[in-house]
């Protein structure tokens, strides 16, 4: 019997389990996953030698506890269909909701697999046992998540070709510190997104239109642990969060990640309506949870209650609508329309950066436990 990706002990085993499944006509799904825009998940590469040289001695006690927790593998076997997996009537699903939900699943699968590819490469190239052990464990988790989403997509008759993505998707180079900032926020905002949806549907099960949402609690705890790992990596070098230059970079990444989420979520109105969630409320709730968590390592949070915050995000969203309309229109007029949208989006992103931050004192130990 073939191994299921949820039981795999390594990323390689999880990927092999997916590739062993019967093939599907998946060109459309893979084409969507291959896209590289400001709003789509990217594959990253970095200076692996610099990361391999990290010394975790300053955070040794917290590090060992986290690695022991991850090695205990509390979610082994979790990411697969069980008796709790309800039948999904894909043919009867409202067409706009179906399209947006499939887009959500493909985007989520690509994002999870992006982490797997980066972490797996760090494990392959490194020789530092602390670092390679961590990235092997995180790659395992992300491969399981991607495989589980692909299982859900298969019910709709499509799947993302993970092996093809590894070989063919464009890779973006980020310096290690930018990997820390971006990936820390990605993992923590992933936790906040999953737990917010899970708690909402726990209180309002009538809006749970697909069974995958039942798996979000354990899923978000994997995301939380991965974020904890990057918090510890940043604590090994105080300059990463304390120097003036790096504080400016942190503000930039916080703003970019939050703004991207706002625009992306407002592109799926039918999806959020089906969940019974207002995207603006959801965005602010996720920002609050993420901001509270990020106090563990970042010396600032964004002022998401500032009077210019939401109106500026809405203008960026309107600019994105203009960009999309221009690209669809094509021709000279369409190009000019898209260009105008990009200028508006850029100007309003700069306006977000001018909103003063809220400073906070970073604790000596960054370790937190998921309790939201």
């Amino acid at each position: 019997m073939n191994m299921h990706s949820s039981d795999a002990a390594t990323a390689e085993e999880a990927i092999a389990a997916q590739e062993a499944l019967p093939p599907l006509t998946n060109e459309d799904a893979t084409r969507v996953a291959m896209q590289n825009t400001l709003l789509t998940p990217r594959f990253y590469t970095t200076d692996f030698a610099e990361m391999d040289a990290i010394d975790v001695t300053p955070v040794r006690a917290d590090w060992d506890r986290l690695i022991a927790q991850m090695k205990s593998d509390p979610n082994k076997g979790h990411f697969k269909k069980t008796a709790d997996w309800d039948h999904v009537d894909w043919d009867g699903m409202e067409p706009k909701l179906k399209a947006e939900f499939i887009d959500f699943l493909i985007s989520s699968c690509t994002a999870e697999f992006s982490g797997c590819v980066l972490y797996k490469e760090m494990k392959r190239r490194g020789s530092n046992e602390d670092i390679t052990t961590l990235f092997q464990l995180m790659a395992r988790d992300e491969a399981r998540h991607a495989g589980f989403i692909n299982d859900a997509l298969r019910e709709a008759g499509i799947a993302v070709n993970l092996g093809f993505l590894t070989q063919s998707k464009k890779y973006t180079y980020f310096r290690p510190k930018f990997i820390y900032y971006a990936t820390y926020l990605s993992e923590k905002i992933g936790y906040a997104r999953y737990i917010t949806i899970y708690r909402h549907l726990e209180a309002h099960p009538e809006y749970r239109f697909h069974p995958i949402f039942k798996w979000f609690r354990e899923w978000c705890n994997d995301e939380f642990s991965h974020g904890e790992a990057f918090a510890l990596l940043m604590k090994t070098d105080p300059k990463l969060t304390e120097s003036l230059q790096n504080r400016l970079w942190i503000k930039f990444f916080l703003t970019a990640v939050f703004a991207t989420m706002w625009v992306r979520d407002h592109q799926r109105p039918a999806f959020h309506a089906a969940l019974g969630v207002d995207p603006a409320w959801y965005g602010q709730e996720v920002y609050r949870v993420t901001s509270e968590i990020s106090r563990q390592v970042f010396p600032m949070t964004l002022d998401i209650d500032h009077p210019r915050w939401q109106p500026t995000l809405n203008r960026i969203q309107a600019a994105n609508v203009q960009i999309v309309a221009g690209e669809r229109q094509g021709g000279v007029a369409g190009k000019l329309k898209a260009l105008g949208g990009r200028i508006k989006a850029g100007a309003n992103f700069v306006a977000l950066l001018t909103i003063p931050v809220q400073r906070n004192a970073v604790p000596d130990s960054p370790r937190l436990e998921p309790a939201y």
Side-chain angles (χ1 to χ4, degrees), residues 51-352:
M51 296 186 72
D52 198 45
I54 296 171
D55 181 4
V56 302
T57 300
V59 294
R60 172 58 67 187
D62 286 329
W63 182 273
D64 288 345
R65 282 195 292 271
L66 177 62
I67 294 299
Q69 171 194 320
M70 295 177 73
K71 282 184 174 179
S72 70
D73 202 3
N75 281 339
K76 183 175 183 179
H78 173 71
F79 294 103
K80 61 183 176 184
K81 299 175 187 177
T82 67
D84 290 330
W85 189 271
D86 308 311
H87 171 71
V88 181
D89 182 12
W90 282 102
D91 292 334
M93 191 177 292
E94 194 276 323
K96 186 168 176 54
L97 171 59
K98 180 178 179 180
E100 290 184 10
F101 185 48
I102 287 176
D103 181 74
F104 168 79
L105 291 175
I106 294 173
S107 177
S108 298
C109 182
T110 309
E112 297 286 354
F113 195 61
S114 168
C116 170
V117 170
L118 176 66
Y119 303 156
K120 188 161 66 74
E121 189 66 7
M122 182 62 241
K123 187 267 177 185
R124 185 181 73 84
R125 294 201 191 187
S127 59
N128 181 332
E129 184 176 354
D130 287 318
I131 303 303
T132 56
T133 298
L134 168 68
F135 283 102
Q136 179 180 28
L137 293 167
M138 292 200 297
R140 172 202 69 191
D141 295 343
E142 303 285 23
R144 289 173 177 172
H145 300 165
F148 187 51
I149 299 171
N150 241 358
D151 287 345
L153 281 167
R154 282 177 171 272
E155 287 192 339
I158 60 176
V160 177
N161 188 328
L162 300 180
F164 179 78
L165 279 189
T166 304
Q167 299 297 323
S168 304
K169 190 171 173 70
K170 180 181 177 181
Y171 284 70
T172 301
Y173 177 86
F174 261 15
R175 291 176 58 187
K177 71 176 181 180
F178 297 153
I179 291 287
Y180 303 155
Y181 303 148
T183 310
Y184 170 77
L185 283 170
S186 175
E187 298 286 3
K188 289 303 190 182
I189 206 170
Y191 167 81
R193 287 171 64 81
Y194 287 143
I195 198 61
T196 299
I197 290 177
Y198 181 84
R199 295 304 182 198
H200 167 72
L201 294 178
E202 191 176 43
H204 303 283
E206 67 274 17
Y207 289 114
R208 191 187 293 119
F209 66 85
H210 192 279
I212 199 169
F213 301 116
K214 297 179 182 180
W215 273 253
F216 271 20
R217 183 177 59 184
E218 289 80 1
W219 198 328
C220 77
N221 288 338
D222 278 350
E223 305 289 326
F224 195 94
S225 294
H226 296 179
E228 294 294 278
F230 280 98
L232 290 174
L233 289 174
M234 284 187 279
K235 289 289 281 189
T236 64
D237 183 358
K239 293 193 299 297
L240 288 170
T241 54
E242 294 177 8
S243 75
L244 174 60
Q245 181 189 56
N246 286 335
R247 289 201 302 270
L248 292 174
W249 277 118
I250 288 169
K251 182 179 182 181
F252 172 84
F253 275 96
L254 278 165
T255 306
V257 169
F258 283 11
T260 299
M261 173 185 154
W262 187 272
V263 173
R264 185 184 293 145
D265 283 351
H266 279 78
Q267 288 181 323
R268 300 181 182 125
F271 171 70
H272 288 94
L275 288 174
V277 167
D278 171 52
W281 169 85
Y282 176 61
Q284 287 291 95
E285 185 68 12
V286 169
Y287 298 158
R288 290 188 200 286
V289 176
T290 306
S291 296
E292 188 61 32
I293 293 170
S294 69
R295 292 174 185 270
Q296 71 180 147
V297 69
F298 286 162
M300 70 188 74
T301 57
L302 301 183
D303 185 0
I304 63 171
D305 294 313
H306 192 281
R308 286 197 284 121
W309 174 253
Q310 280 203 48
T312 308
L313 286 174
N314 287 333
R315 285 193 289 272
I316 294 175
Q317 163 59 16
N320 181 68
V321 171
Q322 180 177 332
I323 293 169
V324 172
E327 290 176 342
R328 286 177 178 169
Q329 180 179 338
V332 175
K335 289 180 179 179
L336 289 174
K337 180 184 289 187
L339 176 61
R342 291 188 179 94
I343 292 171
K344 291 177 186 176
N348 281 285
F349 181 76
V350 172
L352 284 180

